[in-house]
Amino acid sequence: MFYREAGDFKTSYVDDSQTFPIRVDRYGYYALLAVAFGVLPFLVNDYWVNAVLLPFLIYAIAAIGLNILVGYCGQVSLGTGGFMAVGAYACYKLMTGFPEINIFFHVILSGGITAAVCVLFGLPSLRIKGFYLAVATLAAQFFLVWLFNRVGWFYNYSASGQINAPERTVFGIAVTGAQNPPWAAYLFCLVFTVGCALIARNLTRGMAGRKWMAIRDMDIAAEIIGVNPLKAKLTAFAVSGFFVGIAGALFFSVYLGAIEVGEAFGINKSFLVLFMVIIGGLGSIFGSFAGAAFLVLLPVFLKNVLVGGLGWPTDLAAHLEFMIVGALILIFLIAEPHGLAQLWRVTKEKLRLWPFPH
Amino acid sequence: MLDASEGHVTADGRKIGGVVMEMRNITLRFGGVVAIKDISFDIREGEIRAIIGPNGAGKSSMLNVISGFYNPQEGEVWYKGQKRPPMKPYQVAQQGIARTFQNIALFEGMSVLDNVMTGRIRQMKTGLLAQALWKGRAEAEEVANRAAVEKIIDFLEIQHIRKTPVSRLPYGLKKRVELARALAAEPSILLLDEPMAGMNVEEKEDMSRFILDVNDEFGTTTVLIEHDMGVVMDLSDRVVVMDYGKKIGDGTPEEVRSNQAVIDAYLGVAHD
């Protein structure tokens, strides 16, 4: 009724393979982009940017990256935290080593470096599958964190072992450092999030995505019809690493500004991003956003309701928050094991016929 | 037997060309078990070649040798006049040998269209960067190949399910989608492993019609494993009969039907 695809005919294969084939979806997407780029930067304050928007945008990139590996290619990874750390430290070394180059390129290069590291740790996937691969990537997680803690070159031998993002500007406006205006940080991350989502969508709707999904669904059959498993798996690791590295670089340089590797990129981070992917929906770009939104916004929302609304003490609210988030995750997964993306698909199916389902 | 000359025309007017693939003295062992024992036969361009035999005769192993999934311990595979070195299955597929599976091996999480498009892997060569940008080369290639795939979808009459996830389809349609995926590769040899297993009479008739039409329309060389003798005798130009890993007969359906060794293998003989 409200959700119309009737009369929305496709007359060419180009039209049929576009990102949002249904007109209503497409306009909604354009409107969302217009608000995100044109309206929000003028409205947001420091709290909104740092508590909600930045973590959402950055985790969305990481979730897209992990979704390509786990959701599309079927290779389980528990190394996301470690790979984000690679992005962060690559960005730090580039920022301090080549201050004359724009931060924009540093972030992209960090993604490239992470992609290379990710491919290296993806090599075992050619031999081992499933849980065993998860354990192998877990080794990457612990090794990388240990490496960045121990080798002084990575943190420029600073006394604290922390790394701090120096101030860097884009078009004369600071996006990193202590003095960056919130809207600039937000816009900088938004550009990367939109760019990454578009690239991910382009790859997954074309032949690269089909090869990954073929490997995921039935690897032997995929090989017999002509998919080179080595290349397909390693490109998935590379693309995934590229996105995760960008997320790590932004997380460090724009969002936190100063990090200690074990705290910021520990095993918790790997699980957090993996949960985002699972709750959002495996094999769905939209699901990556939904999952990131769910796990970033829900704690903020609960805190505001419990502390701000009901006036509970902060520590009590913090504990309850854990319990409620945990319970909600369980409920969601029992109600819809395929995640929020599937829930959204079902809703759309229902809305096509509503209010006359027969 | 057919004469050795290069090519002839069948009674129903189809052109059969020269030898496109030749198996020379193939022996395949799994440990102590000999699955295929010193088998030689050839496949001619444009013909429908059946491999038959009782259960466990080694038919599927033979198909797996052709598609590169198994490498035989002895013997040579000659393809298009050249000896084929040991290859990975995906390299064999890149050479233009496509197949379907005895137990359907479709990609369950993908739509019918995506499954069939995956079959075009040989024709789609755009690099990862161009695909990331989409506009330009990747899109042009996608559209061109989509057009080719749509022809096959049309041909096999599965237009109405093109956007349906494969996991929702009934068995008979899945078999047809699998054929479509193999055909999408525009193979020079099409291997069909029991395309009619578990089908009812109507579905078998449909599938037989498709196999004949494909051969007729595209001139696709087809190698077929099938248990339904009626189907095999009707469809195929030449038949290889296997039993316990050995070749016991080779020739036209009429020749095979009157071959005493074949009759013995199927009906059994008294061992004393």
Side-chain angles (χ1 to χ4, degrees):
Chain A
M1 187 71 183
F2 295 124
Y3 188 75
R4 287 195 171 277
E5 47 193 300
D8 195 357
F9 300 114
K10 304 287 179 296
T11 51
S12 74
Y13 296 136
V14 177
D15 285 349
D16 199 37
S17 60
Q18 59 192 332
T19 300
F20 296 98
I22 296 169
R23 200 180 291 130
V24 184
D25 285 350
R26 201 155 54 239
Y27 292 155
Y29 164 70
Y30 291 145
L32 193 68
L33 272 190
V35 170
F37 275 102
V39 180
L40 273 185
F42 298 103
L43 299 179
V44 291
N45 56 23
D46 193 47
Y47 172 77
W48 268 95
V49 166
N50 282 318
V52 179
L53 291 172
L54 283 190
F56 166 65
L57 291 175
I58 293 169
Y59 279 123
I61 299 178
I64 291 171
L66 189 63
N67 216 334
I68 284 181
L69 194 58
V70 182
Y72 283 96
C73 197
Q75 311 295 310
V76 186
S77 166
L78 286 177
T80 320
F83 296 130
M84 280 178 85
V86 174
Y89 276 78
C91 191
Y92 175 67
K93 290 303 284 186
L94 289 167
M95 281 166 92
T96 50
F98 307 94
E100 66 282 359
I101 296 174
N102 194 306
I103 172 86
F104 183 81
F105 299 107
H106 287 155
V107 172
I108 291 181
L109 265 178
S110 314
I113 292 168
T114 314
V117 175
C118 217
V119 166
L120 198 67
F121 282 101
L123 285 173
S125 73
L126 307 173
R127 277 307 171 106
I128 50 182
K129 292 174 189 171
F131 291 124
Y132 302 96
L133 179 63
V135 174
T137 54
L138 200 61
Q141 166 73 41
F142 289 122
F143 170 74
L144 289 168
V145 169
W146 173 86
L147 183 75
F148 294 133
N149 247 334
R150 282 306 164 94
V151 181
W153 181 80
F154 286 111
Y155 50 87
N156 285 358
Y157 306 100
S158 74
S160 60
Q162 279 198 345
I163 55 172
N164 293 288
E167 183 170 300
R168 292 289 178 267
T169 57
V170 176
F171 300 125
I173 299 154
V175 291
T176 65
Q179 302 303 317
N180 61 343
W183 62 267
Y186 161 73
L187 268 185
F188 188 66
C189 288
L190 183 65
V191 168
F192 276 103
T193 310
V194 173
C196 287
L198 284 179
I199 290 174
R201 169 65 187 160
N202 286 344
L203 288 175
T204 50
R205 69 173 145 167
M207 206 56 193
R210 282 186 215 113
K211 284 182 195 169
W212 293 336
M213 289 188 276
I215 291 281
R216 172 194 69 190
D217 286 345
M218 199 171 270
D219 50 355
I220 292 177
E223 190 177 357
I224 285 178
I225 69 164
V227 179
N228 181 344
L230 175 97
K231 253 171 109 181
K233 283 178 184 173
L234 290 188
T235 50
F237 269 97
V239 172
S240 165
F242 179 70
F243 290 154
V244 170
I246 286 181
L250 292 175
F251 195 78
F252 153 68
S253 64
V254 181
Y255 178 46
L256 289 182
I259 56 158
E260 196 278 312
V261 63
E263 220 169 278
F265 297 117
I267 181 76
N268 285 348
K269 196 108 305 172
S270 296
F271 281 119
L272 180 67
V273 179
L274 188 63
F275 291 157
M276 284 175 180
V277 170
I278 292 173
I279 292 169
L282 289 165
S284 158
I285 306 289
F286 169 78
S288 310
F289 281 98
F294 187 82
L295 285 185
V296 167
L297 297 186
L298 196 63
V300 176
F301 172 75
L302 283 175
K303 197 177 199 171
N304 279 332
V305 170
L306 296 179
V307 180
L310 302 174
W312 291 7
T314 336
D315 53 343
L316 178 66
H319 286 120
L320 266 176
E321 193 186 298
F322 278 122
M323 293 164 67
I324 296 175
V325 171
L328 275 178
I329 291 174
L330 277 179
I331 291 169
F332 260 112
L333 287 184
I334 290 167
E336 185 50 74
H338 296 292
L340 298 171
Q342 181 64 19
L343 217 56
W344 176 236
R345 272 195 286 270
V346 172
T347 313
K348 285 203 289 191
E349 288 275 310
K350 294 249 164 81
L351 273 180
R352 286 170 70 193
L353 301 174
W354 190 85
F356 306 110
H358 297 293
Chain B
M1 285 292 288
L2 292 164
D3 53 3
S5 66
E6 289 291 292
H8 64 282
V9 178
T10 59
D12 53 349
R14 289 178 306 121
K15 275 205 193 77
I16 307 282
V19 172
V20 60
M21 179 175 265
E22 198 182 346
M23 319 299 285
R24 289 188 189 167
N25 309 95
I26 301 283
T27 297
L28 178 73
R29 290 188 212 95
F30 298 106
V33 181
V34 184
I36 300 174
K37 201 172 177 183
D38 194 29
I39 287 194
S40 307
F41 65 94
D42 60 5
I43 300 159
R44 284 167 177 276
E45 209 173 338
E47 76 175 342
I48 298 182
R49 188 80 151 115
I51 303 176
I52 62 170
N55 284 326
K59 307 180 296 292
S60 286
S61 297
M62 196 70 222
L63 221 57
N64 281 329
V65 168
I66 299 177
S67 69
F69 193 66
Y70 295 145
N71 278 314
Q73 278 80 11
E74 285 162 41
E76 297 167 353
V77 180
W78 285 68
Y79 178 58
K80 289 186 175 167
Q82 280 179 329
K83 188 181 159 190
R84 191 172 82 185
M87 277 184 171
K88 300 264 185 204
Y90 68 86
Q91 292 168 317
V92 174
Q94 295 283 352
Q95 283 196 335
I97 294 175
R99 68 171 291 177
T100 66
F101 297 83
Q102 193 172 349
N103 317 307
I104 300 166
L106 286 168
F107 308 123
E108 296 274 323
M110 296 156 73
S111 68
V112 168
L113 182 63
D114 275 336
N115 265 283
V116 183
M117 283 293 281
T118 313
R120 298 291 290 180
I121 202 159
R122 206 154 73 91
Q123 283 82 5
M124 295 180 77
K125 296 281 175 210
T126 318
L128 208 59
L129 268 179
Q131 286 188 58
L133 292 173
W134 190 255
K135 285 285 161 205
R137 258 197 308 151
E139 190 176 42
E141 188 186 63
E142 178 89 5
V143 168
N145 283 286
R146 173 80 188 271
V149 160
E150 286 291 342
K151 256 188 221 151
I152 288 157
I153 288 180
D154 222 36
F155 191 78
L156 294 179
E157 295 162 23
I158 47 175
Q159 303 95 324
H160 57 295
I161 51 164
R162 49 160 98 72
K163 295 282 173 76
T164 315
V166 161
S167 51
R168 281 195 213 161
L169 296 179
Y171 181 82
L173 276 179
K174 279 188 185 174
K175 280 272 187 194
R176 218 187 288 174
V177 174
E178 213 189 11
L179 178 62
R181 185 180 67 185
L183 277 182
E186 292 173 20
S188 45
I189 298 181
L190 174 67
L191 310 173
L192 304 175
D193 196 350
E194 298 200 18
M196 281 159 246
M199 287 186 165
N200 62 28
V201 177
E202 283 86 12
E203 286 170 328
K204 276 186 186 177
E205 280 171 356
D206 275 348
M207 191 49 100
S208 306
R209 181 163 56 84
F210 286 131
I211 293 172
L212 283 177
D213 281 355
V214 164
N215 182 262
D216 224 26
E217 180 94 6
F218 307 118
T220 310
T221 311
T222 308
V223 179
L224 174 78
I225 292 180
E226 185 51 54
H227 276 295
D228 188 320
M229 280 309 126
V231 168
V232 170
M233 295 302 165
D234 273 356
L235 292 188
S236 46
D237 296 307
R238 286 193 297 159
V239 184
V240 177
V241 192
M242 291 175 71
D243 190 25
Y244 291 114
K246 281 178 289 196
K247 185 168 99 169
I248 57 171
D250 188 354
T252 61
E254 293 75 34
E255 287 167 354
V256 163
R257 198 176 303 174
S258 53
N259 184 328
Q260 191 55 44
V262 176
I263 296 169
D264 290 349
Y266 270 91
L267 299 179
V269 279
H271 293 283
D272 42 25

